[in-house]
Amino acid sequence: MIGIENLTVRFGPTTVLHGVSFEVANGESFALVGESGSGKSTILKALAGQVEDWSGRMTLDGTAMKRGDAPHARQVQMVFQDPYGSLHPRRSVDDTLAEPLAIHGIKGRDARVLAMLDAVGLPRRFRFRLPHQLSGGQRQRVAIARALMLEPPVLLLDEPTSALDVSVQAEILNLLKGLRQEKHLTYLLVTHDLPVVSFLCDRLAILRQGRIEEQAPVAALRLGQLTSAYGQELYRRSTEG
Amino acid sequence: MITRDWLLSDDPETRLQARLGQAYRLARALARNPLAMVGLVVIVALLVMAALAPWIAPYSPLEGMLSNRLQPPSALHWMGTDELGRDIFSRVVHGSRITLMIVILVAVIAAPLGLIVGTVAGYYGGWVDKALMGVTDVFLSLPRLILALAFVAALGPGIENAVIAIAITAWPVYARIARAETLTFRHSEFIAAVRMQGASGLRVIGLHVIPLCMSSTIVRVTLDMAGIILTAAGLGFLGLGAQPPLPEWGAMISKGRAFILDQWWVATMPGFAIVVVSLGFCLFGDGLRDVLDPKQRTKG
Amino acid sequence: MSLLSVENLRVAFPSDHGPVEVVKGLSFDLGRERLGIVGESGSGKSMTGRAVMGLIGKPARVTADRLEFEGQDLRALSERQFRRLRGARMSMVLQDPKFSLNPVIRIGEQIAEALEFHTGLTARQRRVKVLEALEAVRIDDPERVARLFPHEVSGGMGQRVMIAMMVVMEPALMIADEPTSALDVSVRGQVLDIMDDLVRRRGMGLMLISHDLNMVARWCDRILVMYQGRIVEELGAGQLGAAQHPYTRGLLASVPRIDEDRDRLPVLDRAALGACQ
């Protein structure tokens, strides 16, 4: 579904990604793990068309992406890390969810918005609330709903729960897992939190300073059998704190 | 039925209820600021005065009796009479129409122009930004009244040209503010999200960026009203704005200048009107800023 | 004698529907120890720390039956007296160093500023103190770092600078509000180590406010679990497994584990929790 081949990204004089390659199969949930500065978020941004200067090859569902080109909105959508910064502060839940439908001239907005509220577990009475009247978890549900309005097969998840309380994180993780099964979605998740990977993903790649250190199935992570030294170090820190 | 609880409901059932609720909260916050209310009273009084001028004014603003010239304030002529025997109170009342017209026209021309230039420059950045801001800076670097003078001199004196001149000198400020605000959220995630959904640049600016710059622009325009009134009066004073016998406040002061030592009221009364109205807009603008400025709003 | 003594602390904010209490009658004592306060957003944990620091202004209302720091009644202090106390005897480390450091002043000067305000040291003595403080937070080349601007250092380094700024006055009480949640896992340990070291060597009292139950459990001598403005449970170090309250247990269960095999994570039943309060 997603193919990344030899992706190199430069921000001015610094190279943040050095020839990264990996593939994500249809319906798979793949995690990019690393610390800040490892380049994991840059890969998502490149896929989302928010990075200007990249070289290599990126394909989405078989079609190659061109430089300076945003991917098609119906193919891929993104959920951002900060539930406070990712919703327009003056637009109600209804406005936010109806916007993609309006852009693409899709009919039956009311019914679709209500159905999506149900799907992400938001009470219908929240429909006309503004973001500041919602809690962090509810905002993240709105953000997920917004990403799903156009029914894209691929979701890019940029640390979707790291700004949330643990009990709310559990709810959002459950929601993401359920939605993936229900709608057969492909996830590309960026996170620094190994237990989240263990819960939500099938495979992972560990990044460090713009390079992939190792790719492993999630079973190896659960058993602590990562092969690279850096992977082992991350595992140890994660279990010891 | 509209009740307080219905307006303040956290779970509005319709779009209308949500909008009304927001407006009610805003109005209530504004009502808690006594100075803003004083400003609002002045503005409303100005509106009423302009709307009902022929009924409020006891005499004609344009015709007077020369035998009755330069009378001090009395029960018959509340603000006295001018050098042609015209009732100054009637002229001030009718002058409010001119002032209000100038203010509204300038706001309608300058604010949207500045808003569009600023948001487009801020959103696209690069050479678009450089070009637009270069033009803006040229306008900003010239003193307002002088620039307006130059325009009126080129276009010919008259109230319409005064309005155009003031509007042309007023927009760069709004462009600057709108650009600065656009820059603060150009890279924010909610803009990135709507772009990913395939929204065009114009759609993003029109529906997502401009609404966020709106409140600061409204506040700024309200605060600028005083300056606009003063510039209009300044042009009038210099004989380049409204032409006699129109009762424009600045022109009235200009005429009264000749008698300022012996017949103080001729120049003072319209000056007093200018001060009150300017102050009213300032106070109301200050109150609006406190309510609308998102930086001062606490998180819900 | 305890360092800080709080009895029936309440913080209320006015709202459309009457005053809303975010801290509802909190009582605890803090000695020269590491006390962890854990809770989720909205539990009132940050408000508790800010109330002790005297940082809650209008329109909120702070009341307490007792609020004593080193035998001094904090409720009776004027804003001026409070300012003398803050920074000198009690200090606070916030979540993100980026927002707490002045971006246009060099790090060394910022640390020296507090000394200038609170003590009568000469410039030379202040400089020595600053370098000592930077060394105390394990910065290898304090001379170089003192000359840097805040944006020139990494997040972990910034947080250490913040702590250096706090400890340079050798306060008796340090309140750390989510001091590590903006940091990478690899740096977290170091920052906590440094704070731990300061508590032990200088006999400071530490109030560590965090949402991370496991982290607090590892680092503190005592843990208070807060939920909706109240303390629902007090736990000693290492007694996390023995937690009784359904909220604490629910919280623990909802954290994913690295060897996760559950299909769904258990979720807090807020309705049931509300009922048992």
Side-chain angles (χ1 to χ4, degrees):
Chain A
M1 200 63 179
I2 306 172
I4 305 274
E5 255 171 77
N6 210 15
L7 176 67
T8 300
V9 174
R10 289 189 187 85
F11 289 147
T14 46
T15 307
V16 286
L17 281 179
H18 305 266
V20 167
S21 305
F22 64 90
E23 268 179 32
V24 184
N26 194 355
E28 193 180 25
S29 173
F30 190 86
L32 297 168
V33 183
E35 297 190 67
S36 52
S38 63
K40 57 188 194 301
S41 296
T42 310
I43 298 178
L44 278 204
K45 282 193 184 138
L47 268 171
Q50 294 167 12
V51 172
E52 300 285 322
D53 190 10
W54 60 272
S55 60
R57 193 177 147 79
M58 291 196 282
T59 53
L60 265 176
D61 202 11
T63 22
M65 280 179 63
K66 285 195 246 29
R67 203 157 316 149
D69 223 26
H72 202 280
R74 295 194 186 201
Q75 215 152 43
V76 56
Q77 285 293 326
M78 187 155 165
V79 177
F80 298 88
Q81 173 178 10
D82 178 12
Y84 290 87
S86 70
L87 297 182
H88 193 291
R90 297 283 168 87
R91 315 197 94 206
S92 67
V93 175
D94 182 64
D95 294 336
T96 300
L97 297 188
E99 179 73 5
L101 302 178
I103 292 171
H104 294 271
I106 297 169
K107 296 270 178 316
R109 288 179 211 168
D110 279 340
R112 281 169 190 267
V113 167
L114 287 174
M116 189 51 76
L117 285 177
D118 295 344
V120 299
L122 269 178
R124 290 185 171 196
R125 64 195 163 86
F126 285 6
R127 185 174 167 197
F128 295 104
R129 282 199 184 187
L130 288 173
H132 72 89
Q133 294 170 305
L134 301 173
S135 71
Q138 289 161 353
R139 287 174 197 229
Q140 206 58 314
R141 284 178 195 266
V142 176
I144 293 170
R146 170 180 61 191
L148 291 174
M149 282 313 283
L150 294 172
E151 299 173 357
V154 178
L155 272 197
L156 307 177
L157 307 167
D158 186 3
E159 308 244 16
T161 60
S162 66
L164 303 175
D165 281 321
V166 281
S167 65
V168 182
Q169 164 173 287
E171 290 170 22
I172 298 294
L173 288 177
N174 285 340
L175 172 68
L176 285 171
K177 196 166 196 171
L179 285 171
R180 183 174 150 233
Q181 281 160 0
E182 223 171 275
K183 299 181 191 275
H184 308 288
L185 298 167
T186 304
Y187 284 168
L188 184 58
L189 170 80
V190 158
T191 184
H192 64 271
D193 197 343
L194 288 176
V196 168
V197 176
S198 188
F199 177 72
L200 197 60
C201 298
D202 306 322
R203 279 197 307 139
L204 73 158
I206 294 175
L207 279 115
R208 183 193 201 182
Q209 292 170 359
R211 291 189 171 84
I212 289 186
E213 291 274 315
E214 99 172 89
Q215 294 190 38
V218 86
L221 171 67
R222 287 185 185 140
L223 298 170
Q225 290 172 343
L226 296 176
T227 49
S228 65
Y230 183 63
Q232 281 294 337
E233 191 185 330
L234 283 186
Y235 180 84
R236 208 187 61 243
R237 277 203 214 116
S238 180
T239 45
E240 288 169 8
Chain B
M1 214 191 84
I2 296 178
T3 63
R4 189 174 167 278
D5 286 337
W6 183 78
L7 284 168
L8 286 179
S9 163
D10 276 334
D11 307 307
E13 278 152 34
T14 59
R15 224 159 271 153
L16 179 72
Q17 187 185 358
R19 299 266 146 82
L20 286 177
Q22 271 167 263
Y24 177 72
R25 285 199 177 103
L26 211 70
R28 209 181 39 159
L30 203 60
R32 289 200 185 116
N33 183 340
L35 281 179
M37 283 298 102
V38 171
L40 184 65
V41 167
V42 170
I43 294 171
V44 169
L46 179 75
L47 288 171
V48 170
M49 206 154 87
L52 304 178
W55 293 276
I56 292 176
Y59 303 92
S60 158
L62 303 179
E63 288 160 29
M65 290 199 293
L66 278 176
S67 57
N68 210 11
R69 67 194 290 264
L70 295 173
Q71 294 295 312
S74 65
L76 271 179
H77 300 283
W78 291 354
M79 293 184 177
T81 60
D82 67 4
E83 78 282 4
L84 297 172
R86 296 175 294 198
D87 179 49
I88 295 180
F89 177 66
S90 302
R91 282 177 68 74
V92 167
V93 169
H94 278 273
S96 66
R97 288 187 158 184
I98 298 176
T99 302
L100 203 61
M101 188 182 83
I102 294 175
V103 157
I104 290 173
L105 282 177
V106 169
V108 165
I109 298 171
L113 183 67
L115 205 52
I116 290 168
V117 169
T119 49
V120 168
Y123 180 75
Y124 285 107
W127 65 266
V128 177
D129 185 27
K130 283 207 183 91
L132 287 175
M133 282 302 117
V135 176
T136 308
D137 283 340
V138 168
F139 278 94
L140 264 183
S141 61
L142 293 166
R144 206 164 174 179
L145 189 59
I146 310 271
L147 191 62
L149 268 177
F151 272 104
V152 176
L155 298 167
I159 200 153
E160 299 81 10
N161 290 344
V163 166
I164 293 170
I166 297 171
I168 284 172
T169 58
W171 70 267
V173 184
Y174 308 131
R176 273 274 162 207
I177 297 173
R179 174 178 175 269
E181 259 201 284
T182 307
L183 286 182
T184 61
F185 51 76
R186 179 172 77 163
H187 294 295
S188 70
E189 296 183 337
F190 60 85
I191 296 292
V194 73
R195 280 175 65 177
M196 268 199 90
Q197 288 166 344
S200 63
L202 283 182
R203 189 180 176 100
V204 177
I205 292 177
L207 290 178
H208 299 265
V209 175
I210 286 186
L212 278 178
C213 300
M214 240 4 192
S215 52
S216 64
T217 306
I218 290 174
V219 167
R220 184 70 207 201
V221 168
T222 319
L223 286 171
D224 272 0
M225 289 297 178
I228 292 168
I229 292 170
L230 290 177
T231 313
L235 287 176
F237 182 84
L238 295 168
L240 295 168
Q243 294 301 302
L246 279 181
E248 201 274 322
W249 294 347
M252 287 167 70
I253 299 180
S254 172
K255 283 277 174 317
R257 196 175 46 146
F259 321 100
I260 194 130
L261 290 180
D262 298 317
Q263 285 87 25
W264 55 268
W265 58 88
V266 182
T268 309
M269 292 305 176
F272 188 62
I274 293 175
V275 169
V276 169
V277 172
S278 305
L279 195 66
F281 275 111
C282 269
L283 292 176
F284 187 66
D286 256 348
L288 261 189
R289 179 177 53 198
D290 290 348
V291 175
L292 287 180
D293 197 338
K295 276 148 221 147
Q296 298 196 11
R297 188 180 289 172
T298 49
K299 265 185 193 159
Chain C
M1 189 198 80
S2 67
L3 195 61
L4 176 72
S5 170
V6 178
E7 227 169 83
N8 197 20
L9 176 71
R10 286 170 190 277
V11 180
F13 282 87
S15 82
D16 285 343
H17 314 286
V20 174
E21 279 200 332
V22 290
V23 178
K24 302 167 185 165
L26 214 61
S27 305
F28 65 92
D29 282 283
L30 174 70
R32 301 193 180 280
E33 59 178 337
R34 294 161 301 180
L35 174 71
I37 297 189
V38 204
E40 298 190 284
S41 50
S43 63
K45 59 184 194 304
S46 289
M47 280 300 158
T48 306
R50 298 174 51 135
V52 171
M53 289 291 286
L55 290 174
I56 300 184
K58 290 208 160 93
R61 250 170 58 85
V62 181
T63 57
D65 292 347
R66 208 159 100 113
L67 195 56
E68 270 179 20
F69 172 67
E70 295 187 308
Q72 201 174 5
D73 189 354
L74 294 180
R75 292 172 304 167
L77 289 187
S78 68
E79 179 52 39
R80 207 187 147 82
Q81 290 166 315
F82 232 125
R83 222 175 299 147
R84 293 231 145 262
L85 203 63
R86 277 199 297 261
R89 298 303 299 158
M90 50 162 84
S91 60
M92 194 161 190
V93 178
L94 295 170
Q95 182 170 358
D96 198 331
K98 264 189 237 123
F99 299 121
S100 328
L101 293 170
N102 187 333
V104 295
I105 302 178
R106 289 177 200 281
I107 284 168
E109 288 166 39
Q110 282 193 58
I111 302 176
E113 209 171 41
L115 288 169
E116 203 175 333
F117 180 72
H118 290 289
T119 66
L121 297 179
T122 64
R124 184 186 297 264
Q125 286 169 318
R126 287 205 295 267
R127 201 177 144 66
V128 173
K129 274 268 201 186
V130 167
L131 295 183
E132 272 175 16
L134 287 174
E135 247 167 82
V137 294
R138 299 184 200 167
I139 289 175
D140 296 332
D141 42 357
E143 300 255 0
R144 185 183 65 88
V145 174
R147 282 196 305 272
L148 295 179
F149 287 102
H151 64 88
E152 294 175 309
V153 300
S154 66
M157 180 79 92
Q159 200 60 300
R160 282 191 272 172
V161 168
M162 274 302 294
I163 296 173
M165 210 156 129
M166 296 304 142
V167 298
V168 72
M169 300 299 307
E170 299 179 10
L173 169 66
M174 180 148 84
I175 298 177
D177 191 351
E178 304 274 8
T180 60
S181 37
L183 305 177
D184 266 332
V185 192
S186 56
V187 202
R188 267 178 209 186
Q190 288 175 8
V191 170
L192 289 170
D193 261 343
I194 290 164
M195 291 203 302
D196 187 55
D197 191 47
L198 292 169
V199 173
R200 283 173 202 277
R201 276 198 306 170
R202 307 199 176 179
M204 254 182 358
L206 173 69
M207 202 162 132
L208 181 62
I209 298 169
S210 175
H211 68 279
D212 190 338
L213 199 49
N214 287 309
M215 188 263 280
V216 172
R218 265 196 300 274
W219 288 92
C220 293
D221 304 315
R222 214 148 53 88
I223 310 164
L224 304 176
V225 183
M226 278 185 80
Y227 179 60
Q228 295 189 341
R230 293 190 178 87
I231 295 175
V232 294
E233 189 155 22
E234 181 176 343
L235 294 164
Q239 291 178 348
L240 210 51
Q244 290 300 314
H245 195 275
Y247 174 70
T248 320
R249 297 181 67 88
L251 218 50
L252 280 171
S254 66
V255 184
R257 292 187 290 258
I258 200 149
D259 54 349
E260 194 57 68
D261 51 6
R262 294 173 286 188
D263 186 43
R264 300 188 70 73
L265 297 169
V267 167
L268 279 185
D269 187 351
R270 283 166 212 280
L273 278 175
C276 80
Q277 281 235 321

